[in-house]
């Protein structure tokens, strides 16, 4: 009997009606002859409400107790889901991350899974039950304390359980129909992708696509667990993410370009007038690293021969801008740069596809499309299967649409149909 | 260093302000040189809200999953409380019932504690932390499933932990100042009791006093753990419940009468015209027991010589009335009684005090007081240290006040001052 792991996000179980709808879908999978393990997130806004409560009692709600608090959210959702399944005449048992054997390190609020020992889950499904597991949480190997996995943690729980149980597939249910060639809110003609490789999905995830987080895809790739991203509101096939298309589904060929991603959450810092000599860039980025700022793109032009000075630009999350500027100002005299420029009105647009490795015209087509749309390029950065540019934030919609059309990604229909719930 | 267990109920931690107030009180106890273990209930209406959600997804929300659901409530409260304490500069760690070693049987929704192995709690407080423990919950010895202890479970958790840790005292914080000689909402001149014996407290609890539940007092008596019931809203001394008054507090003599309790939650069933022969009463109460109805008072008068028939009356929770009547109707032909009378407009008034054993006038004074107040007595039942009567529900206020005055329990002030929060 094949084993399926299903994961339902908070918007799918936002209220009693949602829980009952999801319960029915789970029972259908069981009736179709699968063993079913379900990973569930906290209902709707529960986590935000708990974070708000924590803020009211203490301005520094971090660490062990914060994890203890947040894990109450999944506990509520999973117990209700098990009840709803029992009410449909099927047996279900819910398990905390700890009971499910999700063993993590001791880094509270963003723990990493280091082992999964799903003995209780295996026993439960072998007895004929549907097992419901709390997403986002685990227990630390040392100290046996409750931990949480940080943002997107429930997806990671699902993939990790699927790997440990050798599941046939990990189905990630969400409020959109799958992964699209661009954000359907921006590009009306965006198409749902039927299949995408792990590598392309990883690049999309790190370029601003929100459907799957990088961490979860990385885990699935490592253990070669196929992911099926689909809507909990429709019965449609979603997007398969795997090493290669399913047997018998060879008609799904790898496209040259998988999709266009955009990201408006970053800012750009330019360090102006850096002496062009060894060690200068190292000093700058050591200061940034010591301030625990995560940087993304880094660009340095050749220096002007007349001055021997160069400019170094990089992008980073807007929320970390203040910290980065403060850290850099402290190094001004030792590094000897002229000034700092901070710009948070930028957008990053990325074109992703393994096919670009063997199609030399891709870069040219990309830049031409932007140029024809009157979009100015401020920074460029590339990897083997991705090209990213930084533009003005105001240009992002125009730029994404132009690139999407230029690479023939537009669907034949006028508007992407998304069977979403909350319209997120 | 002496160890104190404190328990805070849901009304004391109903919101962020309440949690911060309670945190301050806990820190004060720590500053006074105690090791402190805190048991906390779910915030305010959390449990009712979770029960409501469960009802929305399934009409039969019982068993294992219901316990998993409800225990989320204490988890939220204890994590927030630990954060609030940390914010005051003291170290705190929260523990689930399972982590605290509260081992129960496997009867979900009303599990009984069968062992407490508080190794992690002991370690935590020996390291200088304040330990916060989730009330109301444990883990089953067999199956390692999450269980809840049923109504009043958090008080029982506190007493059980106090016993296992050999605590000096178990402080039960609530929204009233302690145990009163009568319900202060009914008797304005009710006095707070400074000290009461376990035995008298047990009788008050089973006669309708809501401050402490019978089960918790029974546990404390078995392990000889003094309970101090007090308000979390004031700094006043409350009521001590123990085997005997504290050393150096001998001025607190045992009163003849501890208090007057009343209960309007019961109904009365009279089985009319029962043949007065061996086995009839047994048949009736076997039928009641098989229907899992809990009965309280039972009264049978001598039979009328002319008919050889007698009447049997008993009281029971109103909620179980329908079930009892159905069960009795099925035995009508075999038992051969004439008819059933059901009456839910009754009140039970009880006078409790070990002193009545050696004061023969108590019963007479009790009945005279009721008679003078024009209150008719319908049933009478006595134990060694308690007299209970059933009256019309309409008479309860008048009856309780009259008895309270007759036994000299009225305070000198005009109105009982209760430093309560919600005025429950």
């Amino acid at each position: 009997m094949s084993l399926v792991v299903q994961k339902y996000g908070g918007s799918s179980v936002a209220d009693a009606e949602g829980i009952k709808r999801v319960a029915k879908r789970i029972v259908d999978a069981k009736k179709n002859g699968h063993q079913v393990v379900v990973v569930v997130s906290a209902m709707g806004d529960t986590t935000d409400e708990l974070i708000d409560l924590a803020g009211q009692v203490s301005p520094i709600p971090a660490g062990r107790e914060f994890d203890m608090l947040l894990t109450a959210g999944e506990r509520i959702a999973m117990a209700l889901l098990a009840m709803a399944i029992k009410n449909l005449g099927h047996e279900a048992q819910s398990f905390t991350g700890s009971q499910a054997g999700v063993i993590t390190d001791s880094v509270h609020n963003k723990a990493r899974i280091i082992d999964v020992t799903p003995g209780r889950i295996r026993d439960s499904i072998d007895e004929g039950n549907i097992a419901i597991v709390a997403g986002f949480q685990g227990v630390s190997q040392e100290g046996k304390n409750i931990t949480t996995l940080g943002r997107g943690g429930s997806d990671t729980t699902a993939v990790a359980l699927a790997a440990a149980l050798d599941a046939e597939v990990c189905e990630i249910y969400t409020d959109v129909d799958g992964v699209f060639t661009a954000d359907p809110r921006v590009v009306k003609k965006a198409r749902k992708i039927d299949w995408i490789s792990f590598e392309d999905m990883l690049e999309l995830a790190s370029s601003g696509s929100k459907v799957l987080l990088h961490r979860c895809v990385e885990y699935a790739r490592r253990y070669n667990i196929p992911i099926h991203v689909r809507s909990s509101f429709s019965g449609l096939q979603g997007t398969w993410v795997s090493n290669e298309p399913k047997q018998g589904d060879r008609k799904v060929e790898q496209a040259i370009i998988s999709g266009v991603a955009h990201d408006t959450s970053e800012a750009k810092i330019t360090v102006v007038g850096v002496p062009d000599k060894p060690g200068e860039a190292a000093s700058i980025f050591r200061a940034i690293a010591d301030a625990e700022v995560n940087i993304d793109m880094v660009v340095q032009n050749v220096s002007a021969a007349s001055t021997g000075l160069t400019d170094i630009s990089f992008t980073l999350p807007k929320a970390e801008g203040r910290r980065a500027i403060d850290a850099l100002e402290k190094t001004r005299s030792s590094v000897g740069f002229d000034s700092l420029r901070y710009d948070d009105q930028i957008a990053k647009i990325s074109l992703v596809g393994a096919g670009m490795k063997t199609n030399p015209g891709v870069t040219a087509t990309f830049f031409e499309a932007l140029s024809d749309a009157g979009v100015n390029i401020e920074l460029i950065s590339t990897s083997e299967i991705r090209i990213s540019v930084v533009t003005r934030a105001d240009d992002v919609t125009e730029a994404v649409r132009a690139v999407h059309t230029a690479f023939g990604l537009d669907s034949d229909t006028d508007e992407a149909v998304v069977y979403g719930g909350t319209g997120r």
Side-chain angles (χ1 to χ4, degrees), chain A residues 55 65 73 78 93 101 130 151 215 225 311 321 383:
Chain A
E65 303 308 322
M78 71 183 189
Q93 289 186 317
I130 293 165
R151 192 151 165 268
R215 177 182 181 188
I225 299 295
D311 300 340
S383 83

Side-chain angles (χ1 to χ4, degrees), chain A residues 281-293 323-324 327-328 330-331:
Chain A
S283 300
I284 287 170
F285 289 106
R286 170 53 55 201
I288 294 293
D290 288 348
E292 295 194 357
V293 171
R323 210 155 73 238
L328 286 171
K330 289 190 189 133
T331 67

Side-chain angles (χ1 to χ4, degrees), chain A residues 91-225:
Chain A
E91 285 306 313
Q93 289 186 317
S94 65
F95 297 92
T96 64
S98 171
Q99 290 176 333
V102 179
I103 315 293
T104 73
D105 60 24
S106 296
V107 183
H108 284 290
N109 313 151
K110 49 179 181 182
R112 295 198 74 83
I113 296 175
I114 53 181
D115 197 8
V116 180
T117 54
R120 287 188 72 173
I121 304 300
R122 176 66 75 187
D123 291 347
S124 182
I125 57 178
D126 283 350
E127 287 167 12
N129 298 303
I130 293 165
I132 316 289
V133 178
F136 180 67
Q137 58 180 248
V139 62
S140 65
Q141 192 164 39
E142 305 209 340
K144 304 290 173 217
N145 290 309
I146 305 301
T147 53
T148 63
L149 306 178
R151 192 151 165 268
S154 291
D155 287 0
T156 309
T157 302
V159 170
L161 268 175
L165 292 164
D166 199 19
E168 183 181 300
V169 57
C170 180
E171 297 184 332
I172 308 272
Y173 285 89
T174 179
D175 54 9
V176 293
D177 287 341
V179 182
F180 280 72
T181 51
D183 186 333
R185 290 170 307 183
V186 172
V187 180
K188 298 298 180 200
K189 295 194 167 197
R191 278 191 295 106
K192 189 185 73 189
I193 300 171
D194 293 325
W195 172 79
I196 186 172
S197 68
F198 285 128
E199 286 69 25
D200 280 14
M201 192 63 233
L202 284 171
E203 289 284 2
L204 281 180
S206 48
S207 301
S209 170
K210 303 281 196 305
V211 184
L212 287 178
L213 286 186
H214 189 278
R215 177 182 181 188
C216 151
V217 181
E218 181 59 48
Y219 204 110
R221 180 174 68 161
R222 195 184 326 145
Y223 293 97
N224 194 20
I225 299 295

Side-chain angles (χ1 to χ4, degrees), chain A residues 6 18 36 67 93-94 131 154 158 202 211 230 234 240 244 251 255 267 274 314 327 332 340 360-361 383 401 410:
Chain A
Q6 300 186 330
V36 186
D67 282 352
Q93 289 186 317
S94 65
S154 291
L202 284 171
V211 184
R230 57 197 304 194
S234 79
W240 284 82
E244 50 188 55
K251 72 174 193 291
V274 182
F314 60 91
R332 183 200 283 257
L340 294 173
S383 83
R401 286 180 188 161
D410 289 356

Side-chain angles (χ1 to χ4, degrees), chain A residues 369-393:
Chain A
L370 293 171
S371 168
D372 290 349
V375 174
N376 191 44
I377 298 170
E378 303 188 2
L379 295 180
I380 301 171
S381 155
T382 62
S383 83
E384 214 180 13
I385 60 171
R386 176 184 50 80
I387 312 172
S388 298
V389 297
V390 166
T391 69
R392 290 288 85 204

Side-chain angles (χ1 to χ4, degrees), chain A residues 314-333:
Chain A
F314 60 91
T315 62
L316 73 173
K318 282 178 186 168
E320 299 178 6
R322 184 77 256 161
R323 210 155 73 238
I325 293 288
D326 289 348
L328 286 171
E329 279 295 354
K330 289 190 189 133
T331 67
R332 183 200 283 257
S333 59

Side-chain angles (χ1 to χ4, degrees), chain A residues 8-131:
Chain A
Y8 294 91
S11 58
S12 298
V13 293
D15 53 22
E17 286 314 306
I19 287 170
K20 286 194 270 190
R21 190 188 63 245
V22 165
K24 194 165 170 315
R25 184 178 282 274
I26 293 167
V27 166
D28 285 344
K30 175 83 175 164
K31 282 183 187 163
N32 286 338
H34 298 292
Q35 288 191 316
V36 186
V37 175
V38 175
V39 173
V40 69
S41 301
M43 293 169 71
D45 300 327
T46 308
T47 303
D48 288 341
E49 288 165 12
L50 292 174
I51 292 172
D52 180 55
L53 264 176
Q56 288 178 44
V57 302
S58 171
I60 37 161
R64 180 184 186 279
E65 303 308 322
F66 196 54
D67 282 352
M68 187 68 96
L69 177 71
L70 293 191
T71 52
E74 286 76 33
R75 177 173 283 236
I76 292 169
M78 71 183 189
L80 290 171
L81 188 52
M83 288 178 197
I85 290 171
K86 282 167 176 280
N87 196 40
L88 297 175
H90 288 258
E91 285 306 313
Q93 289 186 317
S94 65
F95 297 92
T96 64
S98 171
Q99 290 176 333
V102 179
I103 315 293
T104 73
D105 60 24
S106 296
V107 183
H108 284 290
N109 313 151
K110 49 179 181 182
R112 295 198 74 83
I113 296 175
I114 53 181
D115 197 8
V116 180
T117 54
R120 287 188 72 173
I121 304 300
R122 176 66 75 187
D123 291 347
S124 182
I125 57 178
D126 283 350
E127 287 167 12
N129 298 303
I130 293 165

